[in-house]
Amino acid sequence: MAPTSKADKKAADAAAWMFNVVTSVGIIIVNKALMATYGFSFATTLTGLHFATTTLMTVVLRWLGYIQPSHLPVSELLKFMIFANFSIVGMNVSLMWNSVGFYQIAKLSMIPVSCLLEVVLDKIRYSRDTKLSIGVVLLGVGVCTVTDVSVNAKGFIAAFIAVWSTSLQQYYVHFLQRKYSLGSFSLLGHTAPAQAGSLLLLGPFLDYWLTSKRVDAYDYNFTSLMFIFLSCTIAVGTNLSQFICIGRFTAVSFQVLGHMKTILVLIMGFFFFGKEGLNLHVVLGMIIAVVGMIWYGNASSKPGGKERWSHALPTSRQQKHSGFPESTEHDGKV
């Protein structure tokens, strides 16, 4: 019975990752066509539309009975919304103010920041192999994506805010699901309306500041509206799969294995948009990154690869506060 359960869990994990990879790569391709071909450069407003569509999905599912009533304190929701919105705005501003190379370095730095959050807040301990495999992934993705690197003061500040807010938002997804026993749909039901409202309210003003263009003055036509609708539809799957993956794993695993999407986007770009960017160091970087991801998957799944440790308090004192004794030994792999 146990082997079957383990096999089922592995199959579910693989399905969750595949769901996230397919929807993430799909939305990148659709958004690239929407922005580059049809000139819809209002990224923050578009993200607000994504969350509005996701909100509609959660309302329908709740009405059908697939999402059960749940509780999330307003203070926790506000903190999550601040992290998430600063992440979205920070990444957009960082891309505008920094070179592509430094922008990619900032994205890569989310992995060590996420590791730091887990070590400090969750008392996670990584084995040597797990740490080395993360380093290999960073090296490989860096080799195939980082080209020109130039930085300025305001660009560095924007990147710093983007990296920390994104890492905190992803950590918080796992934290809230664990603390309040919320499923992915339930958590989305709480967070998506708040993000949709705030981004649709502030998005047009921020996009005007970034692009000097007004979203209401855009020349909407059938084709551009179709791409906007397609982007919003795929975004429902992207938002849901992100919550599923982080809930099943952790923010660090989501970041490390998530760079497979970067590799796939590069490969698809070569197929669809020409091979002028395909050279030896890019191919070498892809190979290194994939080897690192496979190594990370194996290393982190082994006993001691990635475990949560808790420091003991005196038993009577611990029972007085929580009613449960706390062990001095590690709690197990996470």
Side-chain angles (χ1 to χ4, degrees):
M1 194 71 187
T4 304
S5 300
K6 189 174 181 180
D8 290 344
K9 183 181 183 301
K10 286 186 176 181
D13 291 346
W17 279 117
M18 186 59 65
F19 184 28
N20 181 255
V21 168
V22 170
T23 55
S24 298
V25 173
I27 201 169
I28 288 172
I29 294 173
V30 170
N31 286 353
K32 183 173 182 179
L34 178 62
M35 294 180 180
T37 306
Y38 298 99
F40 191 86
S41 55
F42 312 103
T44 310
T45 304
L46 182 62
T47 307
L49 292 173
H50 290 169
F51 282 107
T53 310
T54 303
T55 300
L56 180 62
M57 182 267 298
T58 60
V59 169
V60 172
L61 290 177
R62 184 175 288 112
W63 179 67
L64 292 174
Y66 290 104
I67 299 180
Q68 301 303 317
S70 58
H71 174 67
L72 181 66
V74 175
S75 60
E76 300 279 31
L77 178 59
L78 288 176
K79 281 189 283 187
F80 179 89
M81 188 177 70
I82 290 171
F83 295 148
N85 287 356
F86 266 97
S87 168
I88 294 165
V89 174
M91 295 302 292
N92 289 340
V93 175
S94 176
L95 182 59
M96 182 182 72
W97 285 350
N98 291 310
S99 65
V100 175
F102 187 76
Y103 175 78
Q104 290 293 344
I105 289 176
K107 287 180 66 177
L108 289 175
S109 69
M110 291 177 193
I111 293 179
V113 170
S114 295
C115 288
L116 178 63
L117 289 174
E118 288 191 355
V119 168
V120 173
L121 300 177
D122 285 345
K123 309 303 180 187
I124 298 295
R125 295 294 179 263
Y126 297 92
S127 69
R128 185 187 65 175
D129 280 0
T130 303
K131 294 174 185 175
L132 289 174
S133 65
I134 291 174
V136 171
V137 173
L138 292 172
L139 174 64
V141 177
V143 166
C144 63
T145 60
V146 177
T147 51
D148 59 313
V149 178
S150 59
V151 62
N152 54 74
K154 65 179 184 179
F156 178 83
I157 293 172
F160 182 85
I161 293 173
V163 167
W164 276 93
S165 58
T166 301
S167 300
L168 283 166
Q169 182 258 343
Q170 293 183 355
Y171 170 83
Y172 225 54
V173 169
H174 187 75
F175 170 79
L176 291 176
Q177 290 191 47
R178 190 176 69 234
K179 182 176 181 180
Y180 296 101
S181 301
L182 295 172
S184 303
F185 285 105
S186 296
L187 185 57
L188 265 180
H190 290 290
T191 61
Q195 285 190 262
S198 57
L199 290 173
L200 288 176
L201 182 64
L202 299 175
F205 299 101
L206 180 64
D207 288 332
Y208 180 75
W209 175 56
L210 292 173
T211 65
S212 300
K213 298 177 183 177
R214 288 170 44 185
V215 66
D216 61 310
Y218 175 75
D219 183 21
Y220 295 92
N221 54 55
F222 176 78
T223 306
S224 63
L225 288 173
M226 183 187 71
F227 270 95
I228 292 172
F229 175 78
L230 183 60
S231 177
C232 290
T233 303
I234 298 174
V236 173
T238 305
N239 292 331
L240 177 60
S241 63
Q242 181 192 44
F243 279 35
I244 291 174
C245 287
I246 296 177
R248 293 184 69 88
F249 310 102
T250 63
V252 173
S253 295
F254 181 75
Q255 283 284 345
V256 172
L257 300 180
H259 278 295
M260 178 59 73
K261 293 176 286 190
T262 304
I263 305 300
L264 289 175
V265 168
L266 286 172
I267 293 173
M268 295 183 72
F270 298 143
F271 279 111
F272 289 108
F273 304 108
K275 298 182 179 180
E276 62 274 5
L278 184 61
N279 52 52
L280 182 61
H281 88 271
V282 171
V283 174
L284 178 62
M286 290 181 180
I287 295 173
I288 294 172
V290 171
V291 169
M293 291 172 199
I294 295 172
W295 188 10
Y296 174 83
N298 289 329
S300 62
S301 64
K302 290 179 179 178
K306 184 179 178 184
E307 295 180 329
R308 178 179 292 113
W309 289 70
S310 57
H311 300 285
L313 293 172
T315 303
S316 59
R317 184 180 173 186
Q318 176 65 24
Q319 288 177 334
K320 179 179 178 181
H321 285 284
S322 65
F324 295 96
E326 187 173 12
S327 172
T328 56
E329 300 298 322
H330 60 77
D331 295 330
K333 186 168 67 68
V334 294

